[in-house]
Amino acid sequence: MVGRPREHDERTAAALLEAAERTIDAAGLEVLSVRRVADEVGTTTRAVYSLFGSKNGLLVALGARAFEMLGAAIAAQATTGSPDADLVDAGVAVFRRFAIGHPSLFRIGVQQTLGSPRVAGQLTNASAGAFAGLETRVTRVKEAGLLGRRTVRDASCEFHSLCEGLAAVELRGLMTPGEEERIWRDALAALVAGFAVPVLQTHRSATTKE
Amino acid sequence: MVGRPREHDERTAAALLEAAERTIDAAGLEVLSVRRVADEVGTTTRAVYSLFGSKNGLLVALGARAFEMLGAAIAAQATTGSPDADLVDAGVAVFRRFAIGHPSLFRIGVQQTLGSPRVAGQLTNASAGAFAGLETRVTRVKEAGLLGRRTVRDASCEFHSLCEGLAAVELRGLMTPGEEERIWRDALAALVAGFAVPVLQTHRSATTKE
DNA sequence: TGGGGTATCATAACAACGTGACGAAAAGAG
DNA sequence: CTCTTTTCGTCACGTTGTTATGATACCCCA
């Protein structure tokens, strides 16, 4: 049996996501309400609950969208003969561009600053693609012998941590205005250069225990 | 003229802050309500509004407390003859210990993941002390000639960004379990080692513009 | 010693929020 | 044309942050 045809299709879903991102970018995360985003696209709260299940579901969808964009951007980045320079460029031209261009998606998807129940589990799948793209870049650096004895996974984790921290600091307006890209490039280049330094442990590392 | 003596003194303020931190650490930021924290310490919501003005005021006070602890910890850290090793230790033993030991304070004060109106302005003063402590450490590294041509401010910003990113990643459970401290030390040592590498710009930096 | 005056208290009321439940509506099946 | 099924719009419920409303406790002064 078939019932009433649904008029809350994926087009309204896309409109809802777009409206939600626009609202958050303009006025912050705290003003986003289900009623408001529903009114924004001319529908009712029922559409949100039919399409996303809950407000959290809408935020998870936004986070997944963030990782889609990030993964696509990193996959589209061209490569040159310098794997280390390519990696730095991936951080500056891909990660930074995304974080600054879509601050709300960055906060929801990457930082997971939802203040809501666990969404990490539903976003790990979405983040896998983007992180895999990063790891292929790091693998090229390792094949060039510029990663020391580090694991690709560890180096990728460390590189991503620096990118995420830089983005958080810049989004808070804590970087010298106009110098943001230079600081990004300076920091990422220093980290990647440090990867290639053979003696990477400081003297106290052997005597410190967990 | 004097009126009724206030019985919501700073002792109840401390109790409220402690209860709020305990609640957030236990159940997350989203379950924190003014009524709940008031009931927790056996008083009413009026105490919160008399002492902190609003829920945001209470969170700002929590953030300020975070920076107090962080600044005190970094000031108490001993120094040795190796400024670079001292800096790495400050990240691992001070910043990481604080972030992992007080995740809610880290999220509120450092990450400012409040989902609420601007609190950055009220926290910059509180953060100044802790950041100054970091800069004195970085200054020693620069005086040892291990900072390249970097500014102390820039290097401090980059070092802090890596610490903040590492803490965010670890708090999300994305680091290999049991390997967290090693990864922290590995990443921070790489960044500091990269600071000392004379050629810190990759080949594409000169041809990229904002 | 006893009444204002005043500042602070506890409480209730208000608007907005997320969300589940209810009846109405719309389309195919017989 | 009627029935069944599915989805829709709307409303009610509990909870949230915050603000008015009396009530209360203390000091000053006569």
Side-chain angles (χ1 to χ4, degrees), chain A residues 84-137:
Chain A
D84 50 351
D86 286 348
L87 184 59
V88 173
D89 269 10
V92 177
V94 176
F95 198 98
R96 175 172 182 264
R97 185 189 302 269
F98 164 75
I100 305 307
H102 305 271
S104 64
L105 294 186
F106 170 77
R107 273 189 269 258
I108 293 174
V110 180
Q111 289 200 103
Q112 296 180 10
T113 178
L114 301 131
S116 301
R118 277 285 161 259
V119 240
Q122 310 185 43
L123 280 179
T124 41
N125 293 337
S127 70
F131 199 76
L134 171 61
E135 283 193 336
T136 63
R137 299 264 174 169

Side-chain angles (χ1 to χ4, degrees), chain B residues 76-126:
Chain B
Q77 182 81 354
T79 64
T80 70
S82 302
D84 51 351
D86 286 348
L87 185 58
V88 173
D89 269 11
V92 177
V94 176
F95 197 97
R96 175 173 183 262
R97 186 191 303 268
F98 164 75
I100 305 307
H102 304 272
S104 64
L105 294 187
F106 170 77
R107 273 189 268 257
I108 294 174
V110 180
Q111 289 201 101
Q112 296 180 10
T113 176
L114 302 132
S116 301
R118 278 284 162 260
V119 241
Q122 310 185 43
L123 279 180
T124 41
N125 293 336

Side-chain angles (χ1 to χ4, degrees), chain A residues 83-194:
Chain A
D84 50 351
D86 286 348
L87 184 59
V88 173
D89 269 10
V92 177
V94 176
F95 198 98
R96 175 172 182 264
R97 185 189 302 269
F98 164 75
I100 305 307
H102 305 271
S104 64
L105 294 186
F106 170 77
R107 273 189 269 258
I108 293 174
V110 180
Q111 289 200 103
Q112 296 180 10
T113 178
L114 301 131
S116 301
R118 277 285 161 259
V119 240
Q122 310 185 43
L123 280 179
T124 41
N125 293 337
S127 70
F131 199 76
L134 171 61
E135 283 193 336
T136 63
R137 299 264 174 169
V138 176
T139 301
R140 293 206 191 91
V141 177
K142 181 165 185 65
E143 289 169 350
L146 296 174
L147 214 62
R149 59 185 57 182
R150 250 165 287 257
T151 313
V152 170
R153 173 175 294 276
D154 285 354
S156 300
C157 175
E158 299 170 9
F159 186 85
H160 166 79
S161 297
L162 181 53
C163 287
E164 181 174 336
L166 287 167
V169 169
E170 179 175 356
L171 284 177
R172 259 180 278 137
L174 264 54
M175 282 188 186
T176 315
E179 305 284 327
E180 295 91 355
E181 178 165 347
R182 184 186 60 78
I183 292 176
W184 271 75
R185 189 168 296 278
D186 193 44
L188 294 176
L191 182 69
V192 175

Side-chain angles (χ1 to χ4, degrees), chain B residues 23-206:
Chain B
T23 299
I24 298 179
D25 279 337
L29 230 172
E30 70 277 6
V31 304
L32 185 81
S33 70
V34 179
R35 289 174 174 84
R36 180 191 181 116
V37 63
D39 290 356
E40 198 98 10
V41 302
T43 177
T44 66
T45 66
R46 183 71 204 188
V48 176
Y49 283 90
S50 294
L51 291 166
F52 301 104
S54 67
K55 181 181 181 181
N56 249 318
L58 185 135
L59 293 177
V60 169
L62 273 180
R65 179 163 148 156
F67 284 116
E68 284 177 20
M69 295 178 58
L70 198 51
I74 199 173
Q77 182 81 354
T79 64
T80 70
S82 302
D84 51 351
D86 286 348
L87 185 58
V88 173
D89 269 11
V92 177
V94 176
F95 197 97
R96 175 173 183 262
R97 186 191 303 268
F98 164 75
I100 305 307
H102 304 272
S104 64
L105 294 187
F106 170 77
R107 273 189 268 257
I108 294 174
V110 180
Q111 289 201 101
Q112 296 180 10
T113 176
L114 302 132
S116 301
R118 278 284 162 260
V119 241
Q122 310 185 43
L123 279 180
T124 41
N125 293 336
S127 69
F131 200 74
L134 171 61
E135 284 194 337
T136 62
R137 299 264 173 171
V138 177
T139 301
R140 293 205 190 93
V141 177
K142 183 163 184 65
E143 288 170 349
L146 296 173
L147 213 61
R149 59 184 59 182
R150 249 165 287 257
T151 313
V152 170
R153 172 174 296 274
D154 284 354
S156 301
C157 175
E158 298 171 8
F159 186 84
H160 166 79
S161 296
L162 180 53
C163 286
E164 181 173 334
L166 287 167
V169 169
E170 179 175 357
L171 284 177
R172 258 180 277 139
L174 262 55
M175 282 188 186
T176 315
E179 304 284 328
E180 295 92 353
E181 178 165 346
R182 183 185 61 77
I183 292 176
W184 271 74
R185 189 167 295 277
D186 194 43
L188 294 176
L191 182 70
V192 174
F195 283 163
V197 174
V199 180
L200 44 94
Q201 301 285 6
T202 54
H203 73 287
R204 210 167 313 163
S205 61

